[in-house]
Amino acid sequence: MPERRTVALVTLGCARNEVDSEELAGRLEADGWQLVDDASEADVAVVNTCGFVEAAKKDSVDALLEANDLKNHGRTQAVVAVGCMAERYGKELADALPEADGVLGFDDYADISDRLQTILSGGHHAPHIPRDRRKLLPLTPVERQAAAAEVALPGHGAPEDLPEGVAPASGPRTLRKRLDDSPVASIKLASGCDRRCSFCAIPAFRGSFISRRPSDVLNEAAWLAGQGVREVVLVSENNTSYGKDLGDIRLLETLLTEIAAIEGIERVRVSYLQPAEMRPGLIDAMTSTSGVVPYFDLSFQHSAPAVLRRMRRFGNTDQFLELLKTIRDKAPQAGARSNFIVGFPGETEEDFAELERFITHAGLDAIGVFGYSDEDGTEAATYDGKLPEDVIAERLAKLSRLAEEMTAQRAEQRIGTEVTVLVESVEDGVVEGRAAHQAPETDGLTTLLGAEHAKVGEFHRAVVVGTEGVDLVAELIPANTASADSADNAGAEA
């Protein structure tokens, strides 16, 4: 009997990439590949790259080169690039990085097993020629669903794509294989984006916005619950647009209730929200639905009107502050985070001061700050008014310091409040997890005191007694274990 082929998936970038990797893992396992954690123990190392900003692209290249080094020291025979950077640059990446034995685009995902086998056997699969994926689907959103079957949509794997007999044989079926045992997992609501932000290249290589069918999302959530997942995070390029191509822009509000009702799922979190598309009904659903945490990941990017217009976005400081007030009037401890770009072409000192004013008064729990840099193929790359690098660096440092101060201050305001903590790690007597206002990876942690016997995946009620930056220290409330209808899930705690 021939030795099983082994493959390791190395994932960079955002939670959406993590979902894509687990779909690739599901496809490969269904075709007989053995998945291993350590790339040095794999016949093929597949690097799921990120192509969003320059730093992420550098990390992706470094990961490919590191995997290539394994060919001289371990079992690894081939290194293959997939993901956003591979899709965005295709043949250009292959020519610039001959260390990669293959560069596969999204169109290759459905045949990933055959592609890897060809490469492993010494064959050559031509890297794809990048194209504008926005042109693959109809311009009108409601016409897209009929055409979607002909377009590769990573992370949209449906049960009918699975061969018969692939586990689970009964119950919810999904084209996905978990690559860790975390009690938290992301689910893709949609792919692509119809917005035309002048600094962003994502729509060109991820395509136009298209929603997944609610039944597929619910089946995947039920399947994840069966895998031990207790918190699901809904991700896409723009969750506030969910349902518009299905004929119901309010579909997310209904879907949230249905996901929260799935047995085993105790916390539902929504990420990637556009402020300009927030609507009263969605705010109500996110602040009052049992099982849905009042957590608002709002993509503000800036708050000075002139800069936002050049970004092809909408709003201003006062409108954004009013949005946050509306949210907190309904859920006073609601969590809120955002990212901001400083040094955008044409940004004046007055514009920067306006952004400082917003961050000073917004009370955000987590803030990401990035200095502007040109991205290939974006409108902003053609703009005049580019700022000197030293000015961008100075503003980046200044706003980062302000953001650190404001988020630490927000954390301190939580001292004395009750939180419900999902335990994610227990090591050497230290119990760490996240309160409802803390999203995975980005928003800090909560250290739980007095919970030495806690287990990963449990929810525990606690009182915040201290902070360290955005991180909290909370003391266990004895003999009370949080459940699906705990206070945090109803909006009383963020």
Side-chain angles (χ1 to χ4, degrees):
M1 184 174 181
E3 187 176 6
R4 277 189 92 180
R5 304 163 295 177
T6 56
V7 59
L9 285 149
V10 179
T11 306
L12 292 91
C14 64
R16 294 164 298 201
N17 255 17
E18 294 171 4
V19 176
D20 293 351
S21 284
E22 293 198 348
E23 181 187 302
L24 290 174
R27 291 184 183 278
L28 289 166
E29 185 176 72
D31 204 48
W33 289 78
Q34 180 179 349
L35 295 157
V36 296
D37 296 329
D38 189 344
S40 67
E41 300 298 321
D43 297 317
V44 183
V46 177
V47 180
N48 191 347
T49 61
C50 178
F52 181 42
V53 294
E54 201 59 41
K57 287 183 277 190
K58 182 182 183 303
D59 289 344
S60 295
V61 170
D62 290 345
L64 287 163
L65 293 174
E66 183 178 337
N68 183 68
D69 287 342
L70 298 175
K71 290 193 286 188
N72 300 320
H73 307 295
R75 172 171 175 161
T76 310
Q77 301 172 52
V79 175
V80 175
V82 299
C84 291
M85 190 176 180
E87 173 64 36
R88 184 176 181 183
Y89 294 103
K91 187 175 185 302
E92 181 182 347
L93 177 62
D95 292 343
L97 198 69
E99 292 86 353
D101 300 287
V103 175
L104 305 181
F106 297 152
D107 292 335
D108 293 306
Y109 282 22
D111 301 308
I112 186 68
S113 178
D114 290 342
R115 300 288 187 265
L116 296 191
Q117 186 58 58
T118 295
I119 294 167
L120 184 59
S121 301
H124 175 71
H125 180 73
H128 77 106
I129 306 299
R131 53 183 171 167
D132 188 338
R133 296 189 72 87
R134 290 172 292 193
K135 299 178 180 178
L136 301 182
L137 290 167
L139 184 63
T140 305
V142 293
E143 296 176 355
R144 292 177 189 165
Q145 289 290 323
E150 306 303 319
V151 177
L153 298 168
H156 283 230
E160 58 263 27
D161 295 326
L162 268 174
E164 286 301 320
V166 174
S170 61
R173 290 163 56 80
T174 188
L175 188 61
R176 183 169 178 174
K177 166 71 175 178
R178 295 218 68 202
L179 294 174
D180 61 38
D181 57 0
S182 169
V184 184
S186 296
I187 298 177
K188 262 196 181 178
L189 275 186
S191 286
C193 186
D194 288 341
R195 301 186 71 86
R196 293 295 178 263
C197 301
S198 61
F199 56 83
C200 184
I202 289 176
F205 60 84
R206 277 287 185 180
S208 297
F209 183 89
I210 187 160
S211 305
R212 291 183 72 192
R213 293 174 298 187
S215 58
D216 290 342
V217 175
L218 291 168
N219 280 338
E220 189 163 322
W223 179 81
L224 287 169
Q227 302 287 307
V229 169
R230 294 295 169 259
E231 176 180 328
V232 294
V233 184
L234 305 181
V235 300
S236 75
E237 278 73 23
N238 178 10
N239 280 336
T240 32
S241 282
Y242 181 75
K244 72 176 185 179
D245 52 323
L246 296 170
D248 185 359
I249 193 61
R250 298 179 299 277
L251 194 57
L252 179 55
E253 287 94 304
T254 304
L255 187 62
L256 287 175
T257 301
E258 294 177 315
I259 296 173
I262 293 172
E263 184 177 357
I265 300 299
E266 299 195 34
R267 182 183 279 178
V268 182
R269 184 182 304 277
V270 186
S271 295
Y272 304 108
L273 301 167
Q274 287 291 338
E277 296 182 35
M278 289 301 294
R279 51 195 179 270
L282 181 56
I283 295 174
D284 287 343
M286 292 177 63
T287 54
S288 64
T289 303
S290 178
V292 177
V293 292
Y295 173 82
F296 292 80
D297 176 12
L298 295 158
S299 177
F300 289 121
Q301 301 301 342
H302 212 283
S303 72
V307 175
L308 287 168
R309 283 196 297 271
R310 287 172 69 85
M311 289 180 167
R312 295 200 179 278
R313 298 175 67 84
F314 308 96
N316 59 51
T317 296
D318 292 334
Q319 289 175 358
F320 293 162
L321 290 176
E322 184 61 29
L323 172 60
L324 291 168
K325 181 180 183 300
T326 298
I327 290 167
R328 289 175 178 141
D329 282 347
K330 296 177 181 296
Q333 296 300 319
R337 80 171 316 276
S338 193
N339 294 321
F340 300 91
I341 299 172
V342 298
F344 194 78
E347 181 190 65
T348 65
E349 290 184 4
E350 291 76 16
D351 293 330
F352 182 71
E354 185 69 1
L355 178 55
E356 290 181 300
R357 180 169 82 90
F358 174 65
I359 288 180
T360 299
H361 295 286
L364 298 173
D365 293 278
I367 297 172
V369 183
F370 302 90
Y372 173 81
S373 62
D374 287 339
E375 277 297 309
D376 299 334
T378 62
E379 181 183 354
T382 69
Y383 284 176
D384 56 11
K386 300 284 176 61
L387 275 62
E389 289 188 7
D390 61 334
V391 173
I392 295 176
E394 180 183 349
R395 292 182 183 179
L396 175 63
K398 187 177 181 183
L399 200 70
S400 295
R401 288 194 297 269
L402 178 63
E404 185 175 340
E405 178 186 346
M406 292 296 102
T407 53
Q409 188 177 105
R410 174 66 173 162
E412 289 174 358
Q413 292 170 357
R414 295 186 183 275
I415 293 176
T417 64
E418 182 178 317
V419 293
T420 300
V421 180
L422 170 58
V423 176
E424 295 187 309
S425 125
V426 179
E427 188 172 343
D428 297 329
V430 178
V431 179
E432 290 185 332
R434 289 178 299 102
H437 71 280
Q438 296 171 316
E441 308 292 337
T442 59
D443 297 353
L445 295 168
T446 297
T447 299
L448 194 58
L449 304 179
E452 293 78 10
H453 302 294
K455 296 179 181 179
V456 171
E458 292 179 344
F459 286 85
H460 291 280
R461 291 171 55 213
V463 174
V464 179
V465 296
T467 66
E468 184 174 342
V470 297
D471 296 330
L472 304 183
V473 178
E475 182 123 17
L476 181 72
I477 298 175
N480 284 287
T481 300
S483 64
D485 57 359
S486 64
D488 89 353
N489 294 336
E493 183 267 295

